[in-house]
Amino acid sequence: MENSSVPGAITRRRALTVAGGVLAGAALAQAPFPAFAASAGASDADAIVVGHGLAGLVATAELAAAGRKVLLLDQEPEASLGGQAFWSFGGLFFVDSAEQRLMGVKDSHDLAWQDWLGTAGFDRGIDDPKGPDHWAYKWAQAYVDFASEEKRAWLSGLGMQWFPIVGWAERGGGLADGHGNSVPRFHVTWGTGPAVVEPFEKKVRAAVADKRVTFKFRHRVDDLIVTGGAVTGVRGAVLAPSDAARGKPSSRTVVGEFELNAPVVVVTSGGIGANHDLVRANWPARLGTPPKSMITGVPAHVDGRMLAITERAGGRIVNPDRMWHYTEGLKNYDPIWPGHGIRILPGPSSMWFDATGKRFSSPDIPGYDTLHTLKSISDSGYDYSWFVTTQKIIAKEFALSGSEQNPDLTEKNIWKLLSRIWQTPEPIERFKEKGEDFVVAKTLPELVTGMNRLTGDNLIELAALQRQIEARDREIDNPYTKDVQVMGIRNALAYPGDTLSRTAAIHKILDPAAGPLIAVRLNILTRKTLGGLQTDLSGRVLDASGTPIAGLYAAGEVAGFGGGGVHGYRSLEGTFLGGCLFSGRQAGRAAAQATAT
C-alpha cells in the first residue's frame, strides 16, 4: 500500500488542481483520452448526462461552463430535480475548517487520511491496476486532499454556508487507527440538502436559458449506444407526463421512444437503495443474513437500473457487496415514497438493546459504528432493535435526517433553531406522538408492556431489562467508570459542540426527573451503494481489462462516489454529498476537455 506521508502524496494533491482538476498527474498521463468513434448519426449535443441528481447537476454545470451543449435526461419529472440530495440533511465532510477551529477542534490532512484508511479497509488489489480497490484508493486520496484544501472555499464561493457547530458522526470502534472520525467533521449546510443543490441548479437553469443545456425529463434510458467500441449515445423510452410531487412515485407508462447521440455520455443515475431485491442480492455474508423487513431511505426511482445497462455496454462493476444502511430507522407516519423511513441521528446517551432486550456492547453505541451494529442486529435473529431513553435525552440528542424534518435549518429560520434550547424539536415530538415505533411510559413496567404490545413478540422481560438499566445507572455516580458508553458520554461532553447541541447532561435513565421513559423500535433503513462502476480519476468508466471506454463517464453513487468504491467498506459520514460534488466535477471537467475542438 502506498504511504500517504511521502512527498508523492503531496504531488498528487497539487496535481488535482492542474487543468481545473481534470487530470490527476501521471496516473492519467499513462492512459490518454481515446479518440471518439464516429456516431451512427449526427450528434444531438456535445454531451449527454443521464440523471439529474446532484452529481448530474454538477457535471452538467461544468460542461456548460466550458461551452458545451448538454442534454440532461432523467426518468422523473422536473419536480424531482436534485434527486436524493434535496432530501438530505446537507452534511459535508471538511478537514481543518473554520467551523472546526471555532469549536476548538484540531484537525489535519494526516489525521483525516488516517481515519479514512482505518474506516475504508481497502484490501482488494490497491497496487494492481485491475484490482477493485486500485482506483477507489486513488479517489480516496484525491477526495481527502480536496476536503482538506479546495472544497470549502469552492462551495463557499458558490454561496453555501454551514451551521457553526460541527457534528461528530460515526465515532468509530475504539482504536486511533481504526474505523471512525477522530474529531467532529460533520458540517450541516445552512439550508440543508436544498441549499447544496441550489447553486448547481441555478447554474444549469441559467445554461438552459442560454440554450447550452436542454432538459429531457421523463426520458428513461434503456440502452447505451456503442459504435466501434465507443459509447456514442443513448436510447430508451419516453414516459407519460407526470405531475407527481417531488419524491412521489411517478408513472412508468411508455408513450414513445427516443435515440440521442453525443460524443460523450455521463452516467449519474444513483444507487440501488429503493430496490430491496438488489440490496438483498448483493448483501455480503459479513453483515449476516439479509433482513426480511427493511424500510426505505430513498425515493422509489433509486432503482439501480443504469448499473446493469452500463455493464452491458462494457462497464465494470466492482465492490457490489459494499453498502451503507442505517440501523436507527423510523417508519414515517406521513410517507412520501413507498416504505419511507427516517433515520434518527442519535447522540451518545440512549441505551441500545436487541429485540430480546439484551444490551449491545461496544462499539454498538449510538453514533459509533453503523455497520458493526448492523451485523450485531442481524446476529440477534431479528430485523429490529430498541433504544431505551428519556425525554431529557431525546430533547437534546435526537435529530432526524432529512431536509423536511429540519424546518429550522432548511428554512434558515434562526428563531425556530433557537427554540431547540428550551423545547424538543417539533418534528421529534410529532414522531413521538404519531409514529408507530415510539412507546412512552411513566414507569419501566409500563414501558416493557408497551414494547411487547408493539411488536407482539413478548420478548422483553422486565426483570432482565431493569437489571441492565440499573447497572448502567450505578456507573453515573462517579466521574470514572468501566462502562464504555458512559465513558463516551463524558468524552462527548468534553467537546463544546456536543455540550451545546448534541449531548444531554449525564443522568440516570430511571431518574423520574428526566422522564417520561421512551422506547423506540429501530428498523433497518436502506440508503447508500458504496460500490459501483469503476472509474479513473477523470471519471472515465473502465472495462474489465482496466481500459477506459471511449465516450463513457460516471459520477456519484453509481460510481461508488468515485472509482467504484471511494469509501471502501464503511463511511466516515458527511462524505456522500461531497462524493457527488467531487466526482461530478471531475467527470464534467474531463468530459468537457475531451470534447474540446
Side-chain angles (χ1 to χ4, degrees):
M1 184 181 292
E2 297 180 46
N3 188 334
S4 65
S5 64
V6 298
I10 299 175
T11 300
R12 280 188 294 272
R13 193 186 324 172
R14 298 287 182 254
L16 279 174
T17 62
V18 176
V22 175
L23 300 178
L28 291 182
Q30 295 171 4
F33 287 92
F36 293 110
S39 175
S43 290
D44 297 292
D46 298 314
I48 294 170
V49 177
V50 182
H52 66 200
L54 181 59
L57 289 173
V58 174
T60 301
E62 292 293 340
L63 282 157
R68 307 295 178 265
K69 290 189 175 181
V70 187
L71 301 177
L72 179 54
L73 281 63
D74 201 283
Q75 64 184 351
E76 294 305 301
E78 185 172 4
S80 288
L81 191 68
Q84 295 178 62
F86 181 92
W87 298 105
S88 74
F89 198 28
L92 292 171
F93 176 97
F94 297 132
V95 178
D96 191 27
S97 68
E99 291 79 14
Q100 286 176 301
R101 293 192 292 273
L102 178 66
M103 288 285 100
V105 175
K106 297 179 180 179
D107 199 5
S108 69
H109 175 275
D110 288 346
L111 184 60
W113 182 237
Q114 169 186 298
D115 288 347
W116 197 287
L117 285 181
T119 295
F122 295 120
D123 60 2
R124 296 175 176 175
I126 293 171
D127 298 319
D128 177 1
K130 295 183 181 179
D133 277 342
H134 180 74
W135 287 103
Y137 182 85
K138 291 181 180 295
W139 271 93
Q141 287 180 309
Y143 183 74
V144 174
D145 292 345
F146 175 63
S148 301
E149 295 182 349
E150 184 187 1
K151 179 181 177 183
R152 188 187 181 284
W154 174 54
L155 296 176
S156 178
L158 295 173
M160 287 190 205
Q161 296 177 305
W162 296 277
F163 187 57
I165 298 177
V166 184
W168 195 355
E170 205 64 13
R171 303 182 189 206
L175 295 176
D177 60 353
H179 168 58
N181 285 294
S182 296
V183 297
R185 296 193 179 102
F186 191 85
H187 297 68
V188 177
T189 303
W190 187 231
T192 66
V196 178
V197 172
E198 181 181 15
F200 301 100
E201 180 180 345
K202 283 183 176 179
K203 284 178 176 288
V204 170
R205 289 194 182 278
V208 170
D210 291 341
K211 301 188 184 306
R212 286 171 289 147
V213 173
T214 301
F215 285 130
K216 293 285 186 180
F217 303 113
R218 306 296 284 157
H219 280 59
R220 186 188 70 198
V221 173
D222 296 326
D223 284 297
L224 299 179
I225 301 170
V226 180
T227 308
V231 171
T232 58
V234 299
R235 64 171 63 94
V238 179
L239 304 180
S242 172
D243 60 0
R246 180 185 293 276
K248 292 284 188 180
S250 61
S251 164
R252 289 294 179 261
T253 301
V254 174
V255 296
E257 298 178 345
F258 70 90
E259 182 172 311
L260 298 167
N261 295 283
V264 297
V265 174
V266 185
V267 178
T268 62
S269 55
I272 67 173
N275 189 332
H276 289 193
D277 290 338
L278 269 181
V279 169
R280 292 189 180 96
N282 289 289
W283 193 273
R286 65 179 177 276
L287 292 181
T289 304
K292 294 179 181 178
S293 175
M294 296 183 286
I295 56 178
T296 309
V298 294
H301 63 256
V302 186
D303 53 18
R305 291 182 67 256
M306 283 304 300
L307 281 163
I309 291 168
T310 309
E311 187 177 35
R312 287 202 305 268
R316 184 190 185 197
I317 296 174
V318 295
N319 304 312
D321 62 315
R322 293 180 181 169
M323 52 186 67
W324 188 259
H325 306 301
Y326 289 112
T327 52
E328 313 99 331
L330 302 174
K331 296 178 181 179
N332 196 340
Y333 65 88
D334 186 19
I336 297 170
W337 52 81
H340 188 177
I342 297 293
R343 184 206 173 196
I344 298 172
L345 284 73
S349 301
S350 297
M351 295 185 72
W352 207 336
F353 298 88
D354 71 14
T356 69
K358 180 182 178 182
R359 187 185 180 192
F360 288 124
S361 58
S362 178
D364 302 330
I365 298 169
Y368 275 68
D369 192 333
T370 295
L371 293 193
H372 190 283
T373 307
L374 179 59
K375 173 63 162 58
S376 296
I377 293 170
S378 177
D379 288 347
S380 76
Y382 296 87
D383 295 340
Y384 68 93
S385 60
W386 291 100
F387 276 169
V388 173
T389 189
T390 67
Q391 181 68 34
K392 185 175 182 178
I393 290 171
I394 74 162
K396 188 74 171 284
E397 298 192 8
F398 275 27
L400 299 176
S401 181
S403 54
E404 82 283 11
Q405 300 298 332
N406 294 275
D408 49 356
L409 291 165
T410 301
E411 298 167 10
K412 303 180 182 180
N413 189 314
I414 293 289
W415 296 113
K416 281 186 179 180
L417 183 64
L418 290 175
S419 72
R420 295 190 184 212
I421 296 172
W422 62 82
Q423 66 181 13
T424 306
E426 185 180 349
I428 298 290
E429 282 297 319
R430 284 202 301 267
F431 261 93
K432 193 180 79 172
E433 176 187 352
K434 300 179 180 180
E436 66 178 84
D437 295 308
F438 280 77
V439 179
V440 182
K442 292 182 179 180
T443 68
L444 191 60
E446 292 172 344
L447 191 75
V448 169
T449 297
M451 294 165 73
N452 285 328
R453 183 188 305 118
L454 176 61
T455 64
D457 292 332
N458 292 317
L459 297 173
I460 308 297
E461 295 182 1
L462 172 60
L465 193 70
Q466 184 168 340
R467 176 185 57 78
Q468 294 171 92
I469 296 174
E470 289 178 343
R472 177 266 188 202
D473 281 358
R474 293 187 189 102
E475 298 292 313
I476 304 300
D477 291 335
N478 294 290
Y480 38 83
T481 178
K482 69 178 182 181
D483 189 292
V484 173
Q485 184 175 7
V486 176
M487 292 180 198
I489 297 168
R490 296 196 187 281
N491 188 46
L493 290 170
Y495 167 51
D498 275 351
T499 301
L500 287 169
S501 68
R502 292 293 287 134
T503 305
I506 197 164
H507 62 276
K508 297 183 177 183
I509 298 294
L510 296 180
D511 180 359
L517 290 168
I518 300 166
V520 187
R521 180 180 58 185
L522 306 173
N523 307 275
I524 306 301
L525 177 71
T526 64
R527 188 63 66 86
K528 297 296 180 185
T529 310
L530 299 189
L533 297 169
Q534 191 172 39
T535 60
D536 65 13
L537 281 172
S538 65
R540 295 181 295 180
V541 176
L542 308 180
D543 65 16
S545 70
T547 303
I549 298 172
L552 183 59
Y553 296 76
E557 192 174 350
V558 75
F561 302 89
V566 67
H567 298 94
Y569 286 94
R570 293 177 293 192
S571 167
L572 284 172
E573 288 283 30
T575 54
F576 299 130
L577 293 177
C580 290
L581 294 166
F582 184 54
S583 64
R585 193 178 80 156
Q586 289 290 94
R589 291 182 178 183
Q593 184 189 39
T595 52
T597 56

